[in-house]
Amino acid sequence: MIFPAKRRKNEAIRAKLPEIQGILNGQRLAPLGEIPFGHSTVGFSGCESIAVHNLLVLLGRPQSYQSVLRTIERDCWLFGWFGIFPHRISKSLSRVGISTRKTTDRDELIRAVSDGFPVILSYWTKRRLFSSIHTVCVYSCKDGTVLLNCFSRCADAALANDFTAWMRSRLLITGYIPDERSYKKE
């Protein structure tokens, strides 16, 4: 949670920026890196908000990134220094109209991706409790599994040819699988 005055200040700064749309990668790169989020910036603590935004795009329910930030900024933890608490991402998703199933079962997440569901994954970057965490949105394509915003200083998505091996090499915190009713109806 962040203080209302800080949220208003952040919103005033973000309102002056051009609208940001589409799939996002490279949270530390311009224009994302310096956007205020909580008591920090998207470059430092915005991976969860980028994952939520990217999931909305993949589900056919795009919003501007600023709109997503405005909606979910209240879910920041430790007064907004470290993004959104991984176990509260479902609350952020609910705020933007997405119903999900939370799971820590790697096999369930791997199956969901292979079945064509985009998912959000949060994991420790090195040692559990003694390193930072990162959150990505992933989906399956004909060439493998696309990992959105996997690297904070890279503008391109990463491709995992063997998603199962990639998943097994991560210290998973939690994952989110969208319910089928979250997809935009044509």
Side-chain angles (χ1 to χ4, degrees), residues 78-118:
L78 293 177
F79 301 104
W81 288 109
F82 300 108
I84 299 168
F85 186 58
H87 294 287
R88 291 197 48 156
I89 293 173
S90 60
K91 186 168 190 133
S92 297
L93 288 164
S94 177
R95 289 186 198 278
V96 294
I98 302 298
S99 176
T100 59
R101 186 172 66 257
K102 179 179 167 183
T103 183
T104 57
D105 183 335
R106 290 174 197 272
D107 293 328
E108 182 180 8
L109 290 160
I110 291 166
R111 271 191 312 278
V113 171
S114 67
D115 288 345
F117 287 94

Side-chain angles (χ1 to χ4, degrees), residues 32-182:
L32 300 174
E34 297 305 315
I35 296 173
F37 182 59
H39 287 284
S40 186
T41 63
V42 168
F44 182 74
S45 63
C47 60
E48 296 88 4
S49 64
I50 290 173
V52 168
H53 171 82
N54 285 339
L55 184 66
L56 284 166
V57 172
L58 293 172
L59 294 175
R61 300 174 69 172
Q63 299 178 17
S64 73
Y65 184 53
Q66 289 93 325
S67 174
V68 171
L69 288 174
R70 184 182 324 89
T71 304
I72 68 174
E73 189 169 42
R74 68 190 74 177
D75 297 325
C76 286
W77 63 318
L78 293 177
F79 301 104
W81 288 109
F82 300 108
I84 299 168
F85 186 58
H87 294 287
R88 291 197 48 156
I89 293 173
S90 60
K91 186 168 190 133
S92 297
L93 288 164
S94 177
R95 289 186 198 278
V96 294
I98 302 298
S99 176
T100 59
R101 186 172 66 257
K102 179 179 167 183
T103 183
T104 57
D105 183 335
R106 290 174 197 272
D107 293 328
E108 182 180 8
L109 290 160
I110 291 166
R111 271 191 312 278
V113 171
S114 67
D115 288 345
F117 287 94
V119 302
I120 290 179
L121 305 170
S122 292
Y123 55 90
W124 295 101
T125 57
K126 293 182 182 145
R127 291 181 51 209
R128 190 178 320 269
L129 302 176
F130 296 103
S131 69
S132 60
I133 65 169
H134 193 50
T135 301
V136 297
C137 182
V138 303
Y139 68 94
S140 183
C141 71
K142 64 179 171 82
D143 296 324
T145 303
V146 178
L147 310 158
L148 299 172
N149 194 43
C150 190
F151 304 107
S152 63
R153 297 185 194 275
C154 182
D156 299 318
L159 182 68
N161 294 322
D162 185 350
F163 182 59
T164 300
W166 185 89
M167 278 290 288
R168 300 235 183 275
S169 71
R170 298 297 180 272
L171 296 170
L172 182 67
I173 298 171
T174 191
Y176 296 90
I177 304 167
D179 292 342
E180 290 190 34
R181 64 180 179 265
S182 292

Side-chain angles (χ1 to χ4, degrees), residues 12-25:
I13 294 168
R14 292 191 298 248
K16 296 176 185 173
L17 300 173
E19 195 171 86
I20 299 170
Q21 297 279 356
I23 294 292
L24 302 177
N25 285 294

